[in-house]
Amino acid sequence: MEGHDLKQDLLFCRSCGRHYRGGRRQCPHDKSRLEVVRPFVGQGGDIIDGRYGLQVRLGIGGMGTVWRAYDSQTRREVALKVLNSRYASHAGSARRFLAEARMMRTVKHPGVTQLHRFGPTRDGLLLIDMEYVEGETVRQRVVRTG
């Protein structure tokens, strides 16, 4: 399904920071006006959530774009996965994106990247903050080793 065919059914409350699905117009928690999550199309140098400075785009997957970023709050390089812009206001995609993060959190193995945090930003953007590991991608390794 293409991004323009997706129903915009994910709404965000800027006041309490919660996401809601469906035809609501106001937050059931604090009665603030709900808004559609705006798509984010990032580029190097952008700052996300007042703390993540995007440096280099590492890759684009089915649902997310991964950036090498600097987290000014923890003072470390991170791999930051951001929900792709075409899914920004689609509740089903957001649910799957966050389920991926929850599943990642349960895996403990030296070969698996450590998850730092995940969830919405102050603007409703969904992201996964994880350990940045220098090295080659699986694709680069396959090409290199034949």
Side-chain angles (χ1 to χ4, degrees), residues 125-144:
L125 182 69
L126 295 175
L127 57 79
I128 301 171
D129 169 350
M130 56 197 140
E131 173 186 20
Y132 174 72
V133 179
E134 188 72 45
E136 62 186 348
T137 65
V138 173
R139 178 182 301 238
Q140 290 167 334
R141 181 159 189 162
V142 167
V143 169
R144 181 176 58 78

Side-chain angles (χ1 to χ4, degrees), residues 67-86:
W67 293 85
R68 186 178 75 210
Y70 181 75
D71 181 352
S72 63
Q73 192 169 36
T74 61
R75 296 186 178 144
R76 65 180 166 201
E77 299 278 324
V78 298
L80 192 68
K81 185 172 188 176
V82 181
L83 185 64
N84 283 342
S85 61
R86 71 188 226 176

Side-chain angles (χ1 to χ4, degrees), residues 1 8 80 115 134:
M1 187 183 288
Q8 291 189 338
L80 192 68
L115 177 74
E134 188 72 45

Side-chain angles (χ1 to χ4, degrees), residues 50-65:
R51 69 185 274 181
Y52 298 105
L54 299 184
Q55 296 174 341
V56 177
R57 186 175 67 201
L58 300 174
I60 300 173
M63 290 190 60
T65 300

Side-chain angles (χ1 to χ4, degrees), residues 25-74:
R25 295 287 180 235
Q26 70 177 182
C27 176
H29 178 72
D30 64 16
K31 306 300 183 215
S32 296
R33 183 180 62 84
L34 296 177
E35 52 191 83
V36 172
V37 178
R38 289 181 288 136
F40 173 79
V41 180
Q43 59 184 358
D46 287 350
I47 304 292
I48 296 180
D49 209 26
R51 69 185 274 181
Y52 298 105
L54 299 184
Q55 296 174 341
V56 177
R57 186 175 67 201
L58 300 174
I60 300 173
M63 290 190 60
T65 300
V66 180
W67 293 85
R68 186 178 75 210
Y70 181 75
D71 181 352
S72 63
Q73 192 169 36
T74 61

